[in-house]
Amino acid sequence: MQSGSHPTSPSGRPAHLGANVIGTIIALLTLVLPLWVIACYTTTSPPIVVPVAASEPVK
């Protein structure tokens, strides 16, 4: 076996296929879950603050 070659199972598939699938699932959750949580907890419209008109100063 050469030092630069990757080990494979007898069927020719990579030995760590399960680890690749789990890593992909974790990566997708890491990207999607925060966006989903932000979308769930974000209000649809922010409250509108109406400024009160200043009255004439008291003399």
Side-chain angles (χ1 to χ4, degrees):
M1 177 186 271
Q2 296 177 0
S3 63
S5 66
H6 297 288
T8 57
S9 62
S11 65
R13 296 170 65 187
H16 302 290
L17 181 62
N20 288 337
V21 171
I22 292 173
T24 301
I25 292 170
I26 291 172
L28 288 174
L29 284 175
T30 302
L31 294 172
V32 173
L33 190 62
L35 296 175
W36 181 72
V37 170
I38 290 170
C40 286
Y41 288 102
T42 301
T43 59
T44 55
S45 60
I48 299 172
V49 178
V50 179
V52 178
S55 60
E56 293 183 27
V58 179
K59 294 182 183 180

